[in-house]
Amino acid sequence: MLLGITGFEIRYQLRNPVFWVAIAIFFLLGFGLTASENVSIGTPGTVHENAPYAIAVATAAFVQFYLFITTAFVANAIVRDDNSGFAPIVRATSVTARQIVLGRFLGGLFIAMVGYLAIPLGMLAGSLMPWVDPETVGPQNFSYYAWNFVVFGLPNVFLTSALLFGLATLTRSMMASYIGAVVLVMAYLITASIVGQKIEYRDAFALWEPLGNGAIGEVTRYWTTTEMNSRLIPLEGVVLLNRLIAVGLGMLALAVTLWRFKLTERAPSK
């Protein structure tokens, strides 16, 4: 039953125009980072557009803007039955609360992760364009994109998906989920701008900043341009701990959602 619910959710989302529009938008964002000299995410000017450092920063940072797309996938998955009036039919079957929650979440999470592939794919395509200055790009290496997507992209999407899915499950409201996404983005930007700039909080920020940008900055603080252009961010030390914390927080949010979800009739939130 769990696999059936997950498969249904994946098929439903693949037919949803939001999925394809999101892929197009974030592909163009990634494309613009490497194809245009006028677009930058704060990397040093001597670092290649397709350097592993630049890809790591982009992959970690764009998740905060991807929150709204994530909300459309994971929040809609759990709220849809109540809004459509299909929930009583689902509850009349032998399906359990755990199967509903995990099936909907895994389906939405899979779609969110696939959609986020648009960022590295867009960066790869942009760096291959003929008008790009050859001096601003380095050798193409598939591992630069794959490693950073696995280390920074997937944990970040999992964390944000679990948080927004939990919020949608508790409130049963898409509006509340989108408001929650806005609050998360604003809280992150304000906290990062205040705490991230203070030297005395540097170590704590690198460890606890959930998207991994603090850990990237701490590890690469004294790297040379050559290292940024050729060296992958190692999954050890503060980066490893930071990624484990991100996944752990996501697991905690999912556990709370499983605990609070009940197969009882309840009107959608106003």
Side-chain angles (χ1 to χ4, degrees), residues 155 159 170 180 190 222 224 257:
L159 171 60
L170 296 178
I190 294 173
Y222 302 109
T224 63
T257 303

Side-chain angles (χ1 to χ4, degrees), residues 1 5 90-97 99-100 263:
M1 185 66 74
I5 296 174
V90 174
R91 296 187 180 100
T93 66
S94 60
V95 66
T96 66
Q99 289 172 339
I100 290 178
L263 272 177

Side-chain angles (χ1 to χ4, degrees), residues 129-206:
M129 292 298 100
W131 63 77
V132 176
D133 187 350
E135 295 185 359
T136 64
V137 296
Q140 294 292 350
N141 193 322
F142 175 77
S143 66
Y144 293 171
Y145 301 91
W147 175 260
N148 288 307
F149 183 76
V150 171
V151 173
F152 297 104
L154 294 185
N156 288 355
V157 172
F158 172 73
L159 171 60
T160 55
S161 296
L163 291 173
L164 293 169
F165 182 80
L167 179 61
T169 302
L170 296 178
T171 63
R172 300 195 186 184
S173 167
M174 286 298 296
M175 180 61 69
S177 301
Y178 281 114
I179 293 175
V182 173
V183 171
L184 286 175
V185 171
M186 296 302 297
Y188 174 81
L189 292 176
I190 294 173
T191 303
S193 63
I194 296 176
V195 179
Q197 304 300 323
K198 295 183 180 294
I199 297 178
E200 60 268 29
Y201 299 135
R202 181 180 294 171
D203 292 339
F205 183 73

Side-chain angles (χ1 to χ4, degrees), residues 1-15:
M1 185 66 74
L2 175 60
L3 293 179
I5 296 174
T6 302
F8 171 83
E9 190 61 37
I10 291 173
R11 292 190 297 272
Y12 177 88
Q13 296 290 0
L14 287 175
R15 295 193 296 268

Side-chain angles (χ1 to χ4, degrees), residues 186-232:
M186 296 302 297
Y188 174 81
L189 292 176
I190 294 173
T191 303
S193 63
I194 296 176
V195 179
Q197 304 300 323
K198 295 183 180 294
I199 297 178
E200 60 268 29
Y201 299 135
R202 181 180 294 171
D203 292 339
F205 183 73
L207 181 62
W208 292 101
E209 186 270 317
L211 302 185
N213 290 298
I216 294 173
E218 184 64 23
V219 170
T220 62
R221 187 174 306 280
Y222 302 109
W223 279 18
T224 63
T225 300
T226 301
E227 288 178 305
M228 291 183 179
N229 283 333
S230 60
R231 186 177 174 184
L232 293 171

